[in-house]
Amino acid sequence: MKHTYDVIVIGSGPGGLAAAIAAKENGAGDVLIIERDIELGGILVQCIHNGFGLEIFDEDMPGPTYAQHFIEKARGTGVDTLMDTMVLDITPDRTVYAINKSQGYIQLVARAIVLAMGCRERTRAQILLPGSRPAGVYTAGTAQRFVNVEGRMPGEQFVILGSGDIGMIMARRLTIEGAKVKRVLEIMPYLTGLTRNYVQCLLDYGITLQKQRTVNRIIGRDRVEAIEAVSVDESWNPIPGTKEVIPCDSLLLSVGLIPENELSKKAGVLLDPVTNGPYVDDRFMTNVPGIFAAGNVVHVYDLVDWVTEAGYVAGKGAAQFAQAEAIPEGKQVALEAGENVRYVVPHKLTKASLAEELVRLQMRAVTPIEERVLVTVEDQDGEVIAKKGEPYARPGEIISLTIKPKSFEAVQKAVKLTVNVRKRK
Ligand SMILES: Cc1cc2nc3c(=O)[nH]c(=O)nc-3n(C[C@H](O)[C@H](O)[C@H](O)COP(=O)(O)OP(=O)(O)OC[C@H]3O[C@@H](n4cnc5c(N)ncnc54)[C@H](O)[C@@H]3O)c2cc1C
């Protein structure tokens, strides 16, 4: 096996596949994807529902179909793959240490790396859920894998905690497979997933969502027998007199995703405490030269199409870096989260690159605004550089805004840029 690659991509989900394809298309010689699973495609392999590809293909596809398109493209462009191989460590000088059954411990060197390790689900321990510790408590993604990949039902009577997308999608899936989903409980006063999933997965199947309500206690010794639900106030304190015991044999947790960045930290990549992903510029390069990141490892995306787009940008940057051992730095300007914005990605705009192509900003609102909003990018003097109207702003749905090359002059003069989401006057 060759030991030096132009670009090594870690992870073969939509972010990694797009990055590898783009690296090849932009002149990188040897490009390798390392994947710990036995199949390419990442999380999409288990997402057999439709709802993928609406933005890129204008088509409503199941996850595996969407993935297959890019798997074939990667194979067609000559991307190498190393499957069933776990990356254990990366260094700032871009040495990659991995392990697999046939070759044992492997050491590879890359001129550029793209981190595309996706994210993982929050577990019971991370939300400090009290009660006994019986079998029957699963994360929604684990249950999804059981049903869609292993062909096994994890239970018969479910309560789902959290209104994230995976939980709502699983509420529908389990109902189709004959289980009873008794309730979806959400601690926040608003939905945390996409509205379309609420309509298509809960409303259409008569499944009740209760907001500002959570699991107070899990009941059962060997197997879950019931959960105790309770309403909470704004500070998440239980409201007296609102407890209800709901008999069930399984509890699914859909309580958030965390970008998978243990490897990134080992390589010296700095993480944004709000996104839990790397600080990146508009080419998705991290603070470590030559190490790029794409997809859910950067921040948790709601739509796969934007993951693919980010993968293309990161892969192109990685190819340029691999060929030049650097990319023209250019002056950079910081992008900051302003009014009602929790975070914005990328964190920095490279002034020079904006002259060539548009840059997509992605952000999440802090609190919902259920009326028309104006999203603005403003310079230090409040001058509007880019803007966009939206019918509403909801924390569960990413807001996307592009800065076009025509704003190049204005960005050249800016010292910092702030992104705001305000009610439209
Ligand atoms: C349940 C669910 C439902 C969704 N539904 C929709 C939908 O309907 N429509 C839509 O547009 N989007 C949907 N999404 C969102 C979209 O699927 C994700 O945003 C996208 O798949 C993320 O891609 P990724 O490449 O960043 O990560 P992933 O697809 O998670 O891929 C990461 C890969 O990295 C590998 N990896 C991690 N660490 C290592 C390591 N150390 N060594 C080697 N390999 C490693 C993993 O095995 C994995 O294959 C859904 C997501 C989920 C989880």
mmCIF file of all heavy atoms in Angstrom, residues 383-424:
data_model
loop_
_atom_site.group_PDB
_atom_site.id
_atom_site.type_symbol
_atom_site.label_atom_id
_atom_site.label_comp_id
_atom_site.label_asym_id
_atom_site.label_seq_id
_atom_site.Cartn_x
_atom_site.Cartn_y
_atom_site.Cartn_z
ATOM 1 N N GLU A 383 -23.334 48.790 7.803
ATOM 2 C CA GLU A 383 -23.625 48.771 6.359
ATOM 3 C C GLU A 383 -24.010 47.343 5.948
ATOM 4 O O GLU A 383 -23.276 46.389 6.257
ATOM 5 C CB GLU A 383 -22.342 49.194 5.635
ATOM 6 C CG GLU A 383 -22.519 49.687 4.225
ATOM 7 C CD GLU A 383 -23.251 51.019 4.151
ATOM 8 O OE1 GLU A 383 -22.995 51.914 4.993
ATOM 9 O OE2 GLU A 383 -24.074 51.120 3.257
ATOM 10 N N VAL A 384 -25.157 47.192 5.270
ATOM 11 C CA VAL A 384 -25.614 45.838 4.902
ATOM 12 C C VAL A 384 -24.888 45.360 3.639
ATOM 13 O O VAL A 384 -24.957 45.998 2.591
ATOM 14 C CB VAL A 384 -27.148 45.814 4.699
ATOM 15 C CG1 VAL A 384 -27.599 44.438 4.206
ATOM 16 C CG2 VAL A 384 -27.853 46.159 6.012
ATOM 17 N N ILE A 385 -24.215 44.221 3.766
ATOM 18 C CA ILE A 385 -23.417 43.681 2.660
ATOM 19 C C ILE A 385 -24.195 42.593 1.916
ATOM 20 O O ILE A 385 -24.062 42.422 0.722
ATOM 21 C CB ILE A 385 -22.076 43.180 3.211
ATOM 22 C CG1 ILE A 385 -21.209 44.414 3.438
ATOM 23 C CG2 ILE A 385 -21.387 42.194 2.275
ATOM 24 C CD1 ILE A 385 -19.930 44.189 4.098
ATOM 25 N N ALA A 386 -25.013 41.856 2.650
ATOM 26 C CA ALA A 386 -25.879 40.849 2.018
ATOM 27 C C ALA A 386 -27.125 40.720 2.876
ATOM 28 O O ALA A 386 -27.062 40.925 4.087
ATOM 29 C CB ALA A 386 -25.149 39.513 1.927
ATOM 30 N N LYS A 387 -28.259 40.379 2.245
ATOM 31 C CA LYS A 387 -29.483 40.205 3.034
ATOM 32 C C LYS A 387 -30.414 39.225 2.334
ATOM 33 O O LYS A 387 -30.262 38.954 1.133
ATOM 34 C CB LYS A 387 -30.178 41.543 3.250
ATOM 35 C CG LYS A 387 -30.662 42.206 1.994
ATOM 36 C CD LYS A 387 -31.334 43.516 2.321
ATOM 37 C CE LYS A 387 -31.754 44.151 0.993
ATOM 38 N NZ LYS A 387 -32.409 45.398 1.125
ATOM 39 N N LYS A 388 -31.352 38.731 3.137
ATOM 40 C CA LYS A 388 -32.291 37.755 2.600
ATOM 41 C C LYS A 388 -33.522 37.727 3.495
ATOM 42 O O LYS A 388 -33.391 37.785 4.733
ATOM 43 C CB LYS A 388 -31.615 36.379 2.640
ATOM 44 C CG LYS A 388 -32.430 35.255 2.055
ATOM 45 C CD LYS A 388 -31.759 33.936 2.374
ATOM 46 C CE LYS A 388 -32.462 32.789 1.703
ATOM 47 N NZ LYS A 388 -32.024 31.500 2.210
ATOM 48 N N GLY A 389 -34.707 37.633 2.908
ATOM 49 C CA GLY A 389 -35.935 37.508 3.692
ATOM 50 C C GLY A 389 -36.282 36.036 3.874
ATOM 51 O O GLY A 389 -35.979 35.214 3.016
ATOM 52 N N GLU A 390 -36.859 35.699 5.019
ATOM 53 C CA GLU A 390 -37.317 34.331 5.270
ATOM 54 C C GLU A 390 -38.704 34.434 5.900
ATOM 55 O O GLU A 390 -38.991 35.388 6.620
ATOM 56 C CB GLU A 390 -36.375 33.612 6.262
ATOM 57 C CG GLU A 390 -35.033 33.202 5.693
ATOM 58 C CD GLU A 390 -35.103 31.957 4.817
ATOM 59 O OE1 GLU A 390 -36.139 31.285 4.792
ATOM 60 O OE2 GLU A 390 -34.097 31.690 4.132
ATOM 61 N N PRO A 391 -39.578 33.446 5.667
ATOM 62 C CA PRO A 391 -40.931 33.531 6.248
ATOM 63 C C PRO A 391 -40.941 33.413 7.783
ATOM 64 O O PRO A 391 -41.860 33.857 8.438
ATOM 65 C CB PRO A 391 -41.673 32.360 5.603
ATOM 66 C CG PRO A 391 -40.630 31.456 5.054
ATOM 67 C CD PRO A 391 -39.411 32.279 4.790
ATOM 68 N N TYR A 392 -39.921 32.790 8.352
ATOM 69 C CA TYR A 392 -39.810 32.618 9.803
ATOM 70 C C TYR A 392 -38.373 32.214 10.131
ATOM 71 O O TYR A 392 -37.589 31.892 9.224
ATOM 72 C CB TYR A 392 -40.779 31.542 10.325
ATOM 73 C CG TYR A 392 -40.600 30.196 9.639
ATOM 74 C CD1 TYR A 392 -39.558 29.338 9.972
ATOM 75 C CD2 TYR A 392 -41.468 29.793 8.617
ATOM 76 C CE1 TYR A 392 -39.380 28.125 9.338
ATOM 77 C CE2 TYR A 392 -41.282 28.574 7.963
ATOM 78 C CZ TYR A 392 -40.246 27.755 8.329
ATOM 79 O OH TYR A 392 -40.051 26.546 7.685
ATOM 80 N N ALA A 393 -38.028 32.189 11.425
ATOM 81 C CA ALA A 393 -36.725 31.654 11.849
ATOM 82 C C ALA A 393 -36.978 30.673 12.984
ATOM 83 O O ALA A 393 -37.655 31.026 13.957
ATOM 84 C CB ALA A 393 -35.820 32.786 12.319
ATOM 85 N N ARG A 394 -36.482 29.451 12.827
ATOM 86 C CA ARG A 394 -36.668 28.426 13.862
ATOM 87 C C ARG A 394 -35.317 27.785 14.158
ATOM 88 O O ARG A 394 -34.586 27.425 13.223
ATOM 89 C CB ARG A 394 -37.649 27.355 13.385
ATOM 90 C CG ARG A 394 -39.051 27.910 13.200
ATOM 91 C CD ARG A 394 -40.011 26.902 12.603
ATOM 92 N NE ARG A 394 -41.296 27.541 12.367
ATOM 93 C CZ ARG A 394 -42.185 27.161 11.453
ATOM 94 N NH1 ARG A 394 -41.940 26.108 10.694
ATOM 95 N NH2 ARG A 394 -43.317 27.806 11.301
ATOM 96 N N PRO A 395 -34.981 27.603 15.449
ATOM 97 C CA PRO A 395 -33.665 27.044 15.792
ATOM 98 C C PRO A 395 -33.393 25.684 15.151
ATOM 99 O O PRO A 395 -32.242 25.343 14.872
ATOM 100 C CB PRO A 395 -33.720 26.928 17.318
ATOM 101 C CG PRO A 395 -34.749 27.931 17.738
ATOM 102 C CD PRO A 395 -35.761 27.985 16.641
ATOM 103 N N GLY A 396 -34.446 24.900 14.892
ATOM 104 C CA GLY A 396 -34.270 23.564 14.317
ATOM 105 C C GLY A 396 -33.921 23.582 12.839
ATOM 106 O O GLY A 396 -33.583 22.546 12.271
ATOM 107 N N GLU A 397 -34.052 24.736 12.178
ATOM 108 C CA GLU A 397 -33.827 24.785 10.731
ATOM 109 C C GLU A 397 -32.704 25.759 10.410
ATOM 110 O O GLU A 397 -32.747 26.918 10.806
ATOM 111 C CB GLU A 397 -35.110 25.209 10.012
ATOM 112 C CG GLU A 397 -36.235 24.242 10.340
ATOM 113 C CD GLU A 397 -37.515 24.475 9.564
ATOM 114 O OE1 GLU A 397 -37.458 25.117 8.493
ATOM 115 O OE2 GLU A 397 -38.559 23.996 10.025
ATOM 116 N N ILE A 398 -31.719 25.266 9.682
ATOM 117 C CA ILE A 398 -30.576 26.116 9.332
ATOM 118 C C ILE A 398 -31.016 27.197 8.353
ATOM 119 O O ILE A 398 -31.810 26.937 7.438
ATOM 120 C CB ILE A 398 -29.451 25.251 8.742
ATOM 121 C CG1 ILE A 398 -28.764 24.495 9.886
ATOM 122 C CG2 ILE A 398 -28.456 26.086 7.956
ATOM 123 C CD1 ILE A 398 -27.636 23.616 9.470
ATOM 124 N N ILE A 399 -30.518 28.402 8.562
ATOM 125 C CA ILE A 399 -30.762 29.491 7.610
ATOM 126 C C ILE A 399 -29.499 29.617 6.759
ATOM 127 O O ILE A 399 -28.378 29.623 7.275
ATOM 128 C CB ILE A 399 -31.026 30.818 8.339
ATOM 129 C CG1 ILE A 399 -32.234 30.677 9.271
ATOM 130 C CG2 ILE A 399 -31.241 31.951 7.328
ATOM 131 C CD1 ILE A 399 -32.436 31.863 10.194
ATOM 132 N N SER A 400 -29.728 29.683 5.464
ATOM 133 C CA SER A 400 -28.617 29.733 4.520
ATOM 134 C C SER A 400 -28.637 31.071 3.791
ATOM 135 O O SER A 400 -29.708 31.533 3.404
ATOM 136 C CB SER A 400 -28.891 28.619 3.509
ATOM 137 O OG SER A 400 -27.770 28.002 3.103
ATOM 138 N N LEU A 401 -27.490 31.677 3.631
ATOM 139 C CA LEU A 401 -27.422 32.968 2.920
ATOM 140 C C LEU A 401 -26.116 33.005 2.140
ATOM 141 O O LEU A 401 -25.064 32.657 2.686
ATOM 142 C CB LEU A 401 -27.472 34.104 3.957
ATOM 143 C CG LEU A 401 -27.106 35.507 3.495
ATOM 144 C CD1 LEU A 401 -28.192 36.063 2.583
ATOM 145 C CD2 LEU A 401 -26.952 36.443 4.683
ATOM 146 N N THR A 402 -26.183 33.420 0.884
ATOM 147 C CA THR A 402 -24.934 33.459 0.118
ATOM 148 C C THR A 402 -24.416 34.891 0.000
ATOM 149 O O THR A 402 -25.197 35.834 -0.124
ATOM 150 C CB THR A 402 -25.118 32.893 -1.306
ATOM 151 O OG1 THR A 402 -26.254 33.497 -1.892
ATOM 152 C CG2 THR A 402 -25.271 31.406 -1.308
ATOM 153 N N ILE A 403 -23.093 35.015 0.068
ATOM 154 C CA ILE A 403 -22.456 36.301 -0.239
ATOM 155 C C ILE A 403 -21.897 36.150 -1.647
ATOM 156 O O ILE A 403 -21.137 35.219 -1.921
ATOM 157 C CB ILE A 403 -21.334 36.644 0.753
ATOM 158 C CG1 ILE A 403 -21.895 36.638 2.177
ATOM 159 C CG2 ILE A 403 -20.729 37.994 0.417
ATOM 160 C CD1 ILE A 403 -20.983 37.244 3.203
ATOM 161 N N LYS A 404 -22.330 37.041 -2.511
ATOM 162 C CA LYS A 404 -21.981 36.871 -3.932
ATOM 163 C C LYS A 404 -20.740 37.696 -4.275
ATOM 164 O O LYS A 404 -20.418 38.668 -3.590
ATOM 165 C CB LYS A 404 -23.160 37.306 -4.793
ATOM 166 C CG LYS A 404 -24.398 36.495 -4.467
ATOM 167 C CD LYS A 404 -25.469 36.637 -5.527
ATOM 168 C CE LYS A 404 -26.612 35.676 -5.258
ATOM 169 N NZ LYS A 404 -27.423 36.045 -4.108
ATOM 170 N N PRO A 405 -20.027 37.294 -5.352
ATOM 171 C CA PRO A 405 -18.831 38.039 -5.743
ATOM 172 C C PRO A 405 -19.083 39.539 -5.906
ATOM 173 O O PRO A 405 -18.187 40.340 -5.729
ATOM 174 C CB PRO A 405 -18.442 37.378 -7.073
ATOM 175 C CG PRO A 405 -18.950 35.984 -6.960
ATOM 176 C CD PRO A 405 -20.219 36.079 -6.185
ATOM 177 N N LYS A 406 -20.347 39.928 -6.213
ATOM 178 C CA LYS A 406 -20.605 41.367 -6.396
ATOM 179 C C LYS A 406 -20.398 42.137 -5.083
ATOM 180 O O LYS A 406 -20.227 43.355 -5.095
ATOM 181 C CB LYS A 406 -21.994 41.605 -6.980
ATOM 182 C CG LYS A 406 -23.136 41.309 -6.056
ATOM 183 C CD LYS A 406 -24.458 41.739 -6.688
ATOM 184 C CE LYS A 406 -25.500 41.623 -5.620
ATOM 185 N NZ LYS A 406 -26.701 41.176 -5.740
ATOM 186 N N SER A 407 -20.386 41.445 -3.947
ATOM 187 C CA SER A 407 -20.143 42.114 -2.658
ATOM 188 C C SER A 407 -18.649 42.231 -2.363
ATOM 189 O O SER A 407 -18.247 42.670 -1.276
ATOM 190 C CB SER A 407 -20.794 41.333 -1.514
ATOM 191 O OG SER A 407 -22.113 41.067 -1.803
ATOM 192 N N PHE A 408 -17.838 41.797 -3.317
ATOM 193 C CA PHE A 408 -16.387 41.745 -3.115
ATOM 194 C C PHE A 408 -15.809 43.074 -2.605
ATOM 195 O O PHE A 408 -15.079 43.110 -1.617
ATOM 196 C CB PHE A 408 -15.732 41.337 -4.452
ATOM 197 C CG PHE A 408 -14.247 41.323 -4.422
ATOM 198 C CD1 PHE A 408 -13.569 40.478 -3.559
ATOM 199 C CD2 PHE A 408 -13.508 42.137 -5.269
ATOM 200 C CE1 PHE A 408 -12.187 40.458 -3.538
ATOM 201 C CE2 PHE A 408 -12.133 42.121 -5.243
ATOM 202 C CZ PHE A 408 -11.469 41.280 -4.378
ATOM 203 N N GLU A 409 -16.201 44.164 -3.273
ATOM 204 C CA GLU A 409 -15.653 45.485 -2.904
ATOM 205 C C GLU A 409 -15.967 45.803 -1.442
ATOM 206 O O GLU A 409 -15.095 46.216 -0.671
ATOM 207 C CB GLU A 409 -16.272 46.581 -3.789
ATOM 208 C CG GLU A 409 -15.857 46.509 -5.250
ATOM 209 C CD GLU A 409 -14.398 46.850 -5.441
ATOM 210 O OE1 GLU A 409 -13.903 47.737 -4.730
ATOM 211 O OE2 GLU A 409 -13.731 46.199 -6.273
ATOM 212 N N ALA A 410 -17.231 45.607 -1.070
ATOM 213 C CA ALA A 410 -17.672 45.939 0.291
ATOM 214 C C ALA A 410 -16.937 45.074 1.322
ATOM 215 O O ALA A 410 -16.502 45.566 2.369
ATOM 216 C CB ALA A 410 -19.170 45.746 0.421
ATOM 217 N N VAL A 411 -16.765 43.790 1.011
ATOM 218 C CA VAL A 411 -16.080 42.890 1.955
ATOM 219 C C VAL A 411 -14.602 43.281 2.064
ATOM 220 O O VAL A 411 -14.007 43.199 3.142
ATOM 221 C CB VAL A 411 -16.256 41.408 1.530
ATOM 222 C CG1 VAL A 411 -15.420 40.485 2.400
ATOM 223 C CG2 VAL A 411 -17.723 41.002 1.615
ATOM 224 N N GLN A 412 -14.026 43.726 0.964
ATOM 225 C CA GLN A 412 -12.615 44.158 0.985
ATOM 226 C C GLN A 412 -12.394 45.225 2.058
ATOM 227 O O GLN A 412 -11.371 45.252 2.723
ATOM 228 C CB GLN A 412 -12.213 44.729 -0.386
ATOM 229 C CG GLN A 412 -11.862 43.695 -1.433
ATOM 230 C CD GLN A 412 -10.605 42.926 -1.098
ATOM 231 O OE1 GLN A 412 -9.762 43.382 -0.327
ATOM 232 N NE2 GLN A 412 -10.480 41.729 -1.625
ATOM 233 N N LYS A 413 -13.387 46.106 2.215
ATOM 234 C CA LYS A 413 -13.223 47.229 3.154
ATOM 235 C C LYS A 413 -13.564 46.837 4.584
ATOM 236 O O LYS A 413 -13.223 47.547 5.524
ATOM 237 C CB LYS A 413 -14.147 48.376 2.719
ATOM 238 C CG LYS A 413 -13.698 49.057 1.440
ATOM 239 C CD LYS A 413 -14.572 50.290 1.180
ATOM 240 C CE LYS A 413 -14.741 50.497 -0.313
ATOM 241 N NZ LYS A 413 -16.101 50.724 -0.740
ATOM 242 N N ALA A 414 -14.274 45.717 4.762
ATOM 243 C CA ALA A 414 -14.791 45.379 6.101
ATOM 244 C C ALA A 414 -13.690 44.925 7.056
ATOM 245 O O ALA A 414 -12.724 44.269 6.648
ATOM 246 C CB ALA A 414 -15.838 44.291 5.980
ATOM 247 N N VAL A 415 -13.836 45.291 8.329
ATOM 248 C CA VAL A 415 -12.913 44.843 9.375
ATOM 249 C C VAL A 415 -13.499 43.616 10.057
ATOM 250 O O VAL A 415 -12.815 42.677 10.430
ATOM 251 C CB VAL A 415 -12.704 45.977 10.408
ATOM 252 C CG1 VAL A 415 -11.774 45.527 11.522
ATOM 253 C CG2 VAL A 415 -12.204 47.229 9.731
ATOM 254 N N LYS A 416 -14.836 43.634 10.248
ATOM 255 C CA LYS A 416 -15.529 42.434 10.739
ATOM 256 C C LYS A 416 -16.948 42.438 10.189
ATOM 257 O O LYS A 416 -17.467 43.491 9.790
ATOM 258 C CB LYS A 416 -15.506 42.382 12.262
ATOM 259 C CG LYS A 416 -16.540 43.180 12.936
ATOM 260 C CD LYS A 416 -16.600 42.865 14.425
ATOM 261 C CE LYS A 416 -17.735 43.710 14.992
ATOM 262 N NZ LYS A 416 -18.011 43.588 16.350
ATOM 263 N N LEU A 417 -17.540 41.268 10.132
ATOM 264 C CA LEU A 417 -18.905 41.154 9.618
ATOM 265 C C LEU A 417 -19.766 40.473 10.674
ATOM 266 O O LEU A 417 -19.325 39.516 11.326
ATOM 267 C CB LEU A 417 -18.916 40.323 8.336
ATOM 268 C CG LEU A 417 -18.171 40.927 7.134
ATOM 269 C CD1 LEU A 417 -18.063 39.909 6.005
ATOM 270 C CD2 LEU A 417 -18.880 42.181 6.639
ATOM 271 N N THR A 418 -20.989 40.982 10.856
ATOM 272 C CA THR A 418 -21.896 40.405 11.843
ATOM 273 C C THR A 418 -23.160 39.934 11.129
ATOM 274 O O THR A 418 -23.649 40.613 10.232
ATOM 275 C CB THR A 418 -22.271 41.469 12.896
ATOM 276 O OG1 THR A 418 -21.069 42.058 13.360
ATOM 277 C CG2 THR A 418 -22.992 40.850 14.076
ATOM 278 N N VAL A 419 -23.645 38.763 11.543
ATOM 279 C CA VAL A 419 -24.853 38.216 10.927
ATOM 280 C C VAL A 419 -26.002 38.337 11.912
ATOM 281 O O VAL A 419 -25.851 37.994 13.095
ATOM 282 C CB VAL A 419 -24.617 36.734 10.543
ATOM 283 C CG1 VAL A 419 -25.802 36.190 9.777
ATOM 284 C CG2 VAL A 419 -23.359 36.597 9.721
ATOM 285 N N ASN A 420 -27.146 38.842 11.455
ATOM 286 C CA ASN A 420 -28.297 39.063 12.338
ATOM 287 C C ASN A 420 -29.549 38.456 11.735
ATOM 288 O O ASN A 420 -29.707 38.426 10.515
ATOM 289 C CB ASN A 420 -28.544 40.577 12.503
ATOM 290 C CG ASN A 420 -27.290 41.300 12.959
ATOM 291 O OD1 ASN A 420 -26.859 41.153 14.090
ATOM 292 N ND2 ASN A 420 -26.679 42.047 12.040
ATOM 293 N N VAL A 421 -30.455 38.019 12.614
ATOM 294 C CA VAL A 421 -31.776 37.540 12.171
ATOM 295 C C VAL A 421 -32.805 38.329 12.971
ATOM 296 O O VAL A 421 -32.950 38.131 14.176
ATOM 297 C CB VAL A 421 -31.935 36.023 12.430
ATOM 298 C CG1 VAL A 421 -33.342 35.572 12.073
ATOM 299 C CG2 VAL A 421 -30.908 35.222 11.632
ATOM 300 N N ARG A 422 -33.478 39.271 12.271
ATOM 301 C CA ARG A 422 -34.415 40.162 12.982
ATOM 302 C C ARG A 422 -35.795 40.092 12.346
ATOM 303 O O ARG A 422 -35.921 39.767 11.158
ATOM 304 C CB ARG A 422 -33.937 41.614 12.870
ATOM 305 C CG ARG A 422 -32.568 41.877 13.415
ATOM 306 C CD ARG A 422 -32.315 43.380 13.418
ATOM 307 N NE ARG A 422 -30.996 43.704 13.918
ATOM 308 C CZ ARG A 422 -29.967 44.066 13.137
ATOM 309 N NH1 ARG A 422 -30.115 44.162 11.829
ATOM 310 N NH2 ARG A 422 -28.801 44.347 13.680
ATOM 311 N N LYS A 423 -36.806 40.473 13.159
ATOM 312 C CA LYS A 423 -38.156 40.604 12.616
ATOM 313 C C LYS A 423 -38.124 41.631 11.498
ATOM 314 O O LYS A 423 -37.469 42.667 11.629
ATOM 315 C CB LYS A 423 -39.104 41.131 13.698
ATOM 316 C CG LYS A 423 -39.665 40.066 14.568
ATOM 317 C CD LYS A 423 -40.662 40.662 15.546
ATOM 318 C CE LYS A 423 -40.831 39.703 16.698
ATOM 319 N NZ LYS A 423 -41.507 40.259 17.819
ATOM 320 N N ARG A 424 -38.847 41.349 10.420
ATOM 321 C CA ARG A 424 -38.868 42.294 9.296
ATOM 322 C C ARG A 424 -39.797 43.453 9.656
ATOM 323 O O ARG A 424 -40.913 43.223 10.104
ATOM 324 C CB ARG A 424 -39.392 41.567 8.064
ATOM 325 C CG ARG A 424 -39.040 42.279 6.833
ATOM 326 C CD ARG A 424 -39.243 41.423 5.609
ATOM 327 N NE ARG A 424 -38.597 42.123 4.515
ATOM 328 C CZ ARG A 424 -38.038 41.534 3.507
ATOM 329 N NH1 ARG A 424 -38.001 40.245 3.435
ATOM 330 N NH2 ARG A 424 -37.480 42.234 2.553
#
